[in-house]
Amino acid sequence: MSRLVMKFGGTSVANLDRIRRVAKRVGVEVARGHEVIVIVSAMSGKTNELVGWVTDAAGPFYDAREYDAVVSSGENVTAGLLALVLQENGIDARSWQGWQVPVMTTSAHSSARIEDIPTDNFDARFAEGMKVAVVAGFQGISPEGRITTLGRGGSDTTAVAFAAAFGAERCDIYTDVDGVYTTDPRITSKARKLDRIAFEEMLELASLGAKVLQTRSVELAMRYKVRLRVLSSFEEMGDNAGTLVCAEEDIMESNVVAGVAFSRDEAKMTLVSVADRPGVSAAIFGPLSEAAVNVDMIVQNIAEDGRTDMTFSLPVDQVARAQKAMEEAKAAGVINFHDLIADTGVSKVSVVGIGMRSHTGVAARMFKALSDEGINIRVITTSEIKISVLIDRKYMELAVQALHDAFGLESA
Ligand code: ADP
Ligand code: ASP
Ligand code: MG
């Protein structure tokens, strides 16, 4: 019998009425003859509330093991509720928390990676007539036997990992938009839904801020060739609805630029006047990495008199940690700088498209569009299929809209 994985995000399970609606949707697939594994998120807002309780209880330097124990709980509630509602509908369903499956992960609390999902347990239950396994997303168990979580948005990754492990026919991600758009439809009404998007493009968009799919889920789908579809849990949708994330070869035609992504809460730090000699970068970025700071863009200025400025970007909520790491490295004599300047008011805006591999002029078009709006670019980085700029946060929406227009993304 064919297996299907269906994942429902926070807004899709926000209350009992919506959970009933989800149960109906799952019932349709059961009636079609599928064995279904449903992955659920916590009710929308719940995970934020739980995170807030953790920081209220223990400040910013909490014990990550207990953070995971607390924030994983939201999913447990929705999994149990959905199993109950399915049973009310006469469907043989049962819920599982991550540790019961067990979803085996690394020990990296709050950002663990799934290592293995044994299938024998569910296989046996399906063979006995179970129709639906409801699994709490976002969580697993470490080799030490502690509960772990997979990072924010991690239920997407749970879903794809189950689809890969069980050889599911498809992994359907039900959310509050009806697919992947050329940019976040909340920023511009001109955003256009894509029928298909290549894994590589989706991977870049996700890692550059488009939160419709967690980055790791796209990585897994690409590696294990999972048919991944994003669709709305609020609209009745046909079998070809939503957006299919698929191999590049399966897309007939595409624009040079597929989409525009943004990451609102970025920061920029500059170490003023560091020595320009071999080993300096290692001396700076080593301690930052040990402090678990995710450095993104890096720019080193031209040296003068043997000294230079080093600028890098990082998520705004890691600035305090980065400052501490740099001051400590300075005090220990590992690095020497005159000043440390943090700018917490920047955002990153990126254009992404596999067409960039074969087309020139994308950067020029991007910079012209930004300059026409009077937007100053602070830092630029490029890779084969993306260009990112750091700009003042107050211009972020304007920049996204201008780039969406400049690359003609409104029309196919
Ligand atoms: P869920 O709770 O279902 O996991 P998320 O809030 O994590 O949903 O992701 C869906 C949201 O992603 C949408 O509401 C939308 O605002 C945002 N988003 C950002 N970029 C895009 C994009 N390119 N296409 C579609 N949605 C996007
Ligand atoms: N509930 C978790 C979060 O809000 C995981 C998820 O929804 O994917 O990040
Ligand atoms: Mg999500």
Side-chain angles (χ1 to χ4, degrees), residues 16 67 127 171 178-179 223 235 244 260 263 269 278 289 311 377 392:
L16 256 188
Y67 167 97
C171 180
D178 61 352
R223 166 135 37 107
E235 288 164 37
L244 188 69
V260 182
S263 171
M269 285 180 81
S289 147
T311 297
I377 300 170
D392 289 349

Side-chain angles (χ1 to χ4, degrees), residues 7 10 41-42 47 75 138 151-156:
K7 179 258 171 177
S41 287
T47 310
E75 272 71 9
F138 178 52
R152 298 305 305 269
S155 296
D156 298 328

Side-chain angles (χ1 to χ4, degrees), residues 288-306:
L288 288 171
S289 147
E290 275 158 35
V293 174
N294 298 96
V295 172
D296 179 21
M297 305 161 142
I298 299 174
V299 187
Q300 184 181 334
N301 281 3
I302 289 177
E304 236 178 80
D305 303 329

Side-chain angles (χ1 to χ4, degrees), residues 57-71:
F61 300 107
Y62 45 73
D63 180 332
R65 287 162 296 192
E66 301 310 335
Y67 167 97
D68 279 352
V70 175
V71 304

Side-chain angles (χ1 to χ4, degrees), residues 102-124:
V103 177
M104 313 287 293
T105 73
T106 59
S107 319
H109 284 279
S110 83
S111 56
R113 287 163 83 98
I114 296 177
E115 303 239 282
D116 188 33
I117 300 176
T119 54
D120 33 338
N121 191 355
F122 282 14
D123 283 343

